[in-house]
């Protein structure tokens, strides 16, 4: 009898220990599935959506260039002959040629005035306009390579000559009634003035030819 009681006591103690262990360590109950602690899966694996969001943030974080900024615009390589000759295709006629071609009609008008023996006032008005045009022309090119051209030098010489002839005709018209043609008055002699006009007309013709051949 004592042995039976001892066996029952031992069995009871064993059952109690197993019950306590199952309660404290959360042993699985049959049919209840896994009841332990699962690892933190998001820490090891990120969904594709999260990866796409990171890429989007990375792209947006790159500052865009300000293409309206002068520092971002590349200068035109106008010192590159390939760019100038091929890309820009410059006009065959230069500004200088355009300017001297605009002077030719003025010289032709002065030439016609001399040839038609027009009065002093009309002649001087046209010469004045020519002189002003040459003054502008000189200011534009005197410090440039064009000032070494034959056409440029011829125009400068002609400018001086037309001024002197216009002044001579003006003085002759003013002083002729009071001067004799002897001595110092010879320069106002109509024959001398006509010779000066013929010489000027010849010079104008030569300059026009030089200007037309400047291509």
């Amino acid at each position: 009898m004592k042995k039976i009681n001892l066996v029952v006591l031992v069995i009871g103690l064993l059952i109690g220990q197993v019950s306590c262990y199952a309660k404290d360590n959360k042993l699985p109950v049959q049919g209840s599935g896994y009841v332990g602690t699962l690892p933190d899966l998001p820490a090891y694996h990120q969904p594709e959506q999260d990866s796409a969001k990171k890429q989007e943030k990375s792209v947006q974080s790159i500052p865009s260039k300000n293409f309206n900024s002068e520092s971002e615009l590349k200068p035109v390589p106008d010192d590159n002959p390939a760019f100038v000759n091929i890309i820009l295709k410059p006009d065959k006629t230069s500004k200088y040629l355009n300017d001297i071609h605009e002077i030719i009609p003025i010289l032709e008008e002065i030439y016609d005035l001399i040839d038609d023996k027009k009065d002093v006032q009309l002649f001087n008005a046209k010469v004045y306009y020519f002189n002003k045009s040459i003054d502008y022309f000189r200011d534009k090119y005197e410090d440039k390579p064009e000032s070494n051209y034959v056409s440029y030098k011829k125009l400068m010489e002609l400018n001086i000559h037309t001024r002197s002839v216009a002044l001579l005709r003006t003085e002759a018209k003013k002083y002729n009634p009071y001067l004799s043609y002897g001595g110092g008055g010879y320069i106002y002699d109509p024959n001398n003035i006509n010779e000066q006009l013929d010489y000027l007309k010849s010079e104008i013709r030569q300059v026009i030819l030089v200007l037309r051949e400047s291509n």
Side-chain angles (χ1 to χ4, degrees), residues 158-171:
L158 183 60
N159 183 46
I160 296 174
H161 193 188
T162 54
R163 286 178 188 269
S164 62
V165 173
L167 179 60
L168 178 63
R169 294 191 71 183
T170 301
E171 291 179 346

Side-chain angles (χ1 to χ4, degrees), residues 3 5 17 30 32 39 44 46-47 61-62 68 89 104-105 110 118 124 127 135 140 164 169 179-180 193 208-209 212:
K3 291 182 178 181
N5 290 336
Q17 290 180 356
Q30 184 176 2
S32 63
Y44 298 95
Q46 292 291 338
S61 65
I62 299 176
N68 293 324
K89 295 181 181 178
I104 291 176
I110 297 176
K118 295 297 183 179
N124 286 354
V127 167
D135 288 344
K140 188 174 182 180
S164 62
R169 294 191 71 183
L179 295 175
S180 63
I193 292 178
I208 290 175
L209 291 175
R212 284 177 176 170

Side-chain angles (χ1 to χ4, degrees), residues 1-188:
M1 187 69 176
K2 290 184 179 179
K3 291 182 178 181
I4 294 174
N5 290 336
L6 180 61
V7 171
V8 172
L9 179 62
V10 171
I11 293 173
L13 290 174
L14 290 174
I15 293 173
Q17 290 180 356
V18 170
S19 177
C20 291
Y21 181 84
K23 184 177 180 180
D24 294 339
N25 293 277
K26 297 181 181 179
L27 290 175
V29 180
Q30 184 176 2
S32 63
Y34 182 77
V35 295
T37 302
L38 294 173
D40 188 6
L41 293 179
Y44 298 95
H45 175 71
Q46 292 291 338
E48 294 183 359
Q49 184 177 0
D50 293 343
S51 178
K53 288 183 179 180
K54 284 187 176 181
Q55 290 182 359
E56 183 180 355
K57 289 182 180 180
S58 177
V59 172
Q60 292 179 352
S61 65
I62 299 176
S64 60
K65 292 184 178 181
N66 183 7
F67 289 100
N68 293 324
S69 173
E70 293 183 358
S71 61
E72 296 295 342
L73 295 176
K74 293 183 178 180
V76 174
D78 52 6
D79 57 344
N80 187 338
F83 179 83
V84 174
N85 295 329
I86 298 176
I87 305 301
L88 293 183
K89 295 181 181 178
D91 189 358
K92 292 181 180 180
T93 59
S94 67
K95 293 181 179 180
Y96 177 82
L97 291 179
N98 290 335
D99 288 340
I100 63 175
H101 287 163
E102 290 179 0
I103 294 174
I104 291 176
I106 304 174
L107 294 177
E108 291 175 338
E109 290 180 2
I110 297 176
Y111 182 92
D112 291 339
L113 290 174
I114 298 173
D115 198 43
D116 296 338
K117 302 185 184 302
K118 295 297 183 179
D119 61 61
V120 176
Q121 186 175 1
L122 187 58
F123 171 82
N124 286 354
K126 186 59 62 176
V127 167
Y128 176 82
Y129 180 70
F130 169 70
N131 295 153
K132 289 300 179 182
S133 299
I134 296 301
D135 288 344
Y136 171 79
F137 184 80
R138 182 184 60 246
D139 293 341
K140 188 174 182 180
Y141 295 108
E142 64 179 345
D143 295 327
K144 297 181 179 180
E146 288 84 352
S147 62
N148 296 315
Y149 294 172
V150 174
S151 55
Y152 177 90
K153 295 178 179 179
K154 288 292 184 181
L155 283 172
M156 297 303 108
E157 294 173 359
L158 183 60
N159 183 46
I160 296 174
H161 193 188
T162 54
R163 286 178 188 269
S164 62
V165 173
L167 179 60
L168 178 63
R169 294 191 71 183
T170 301
E171 291 179 346
K173 184 178 180 180
K174 181 178 180 180
Y175 298 124
N176 265 344
Y178 314 104
L179 295 175
S180 63
Y181 298 135
Y186 170 77
I187 60 173
Y188 302 119

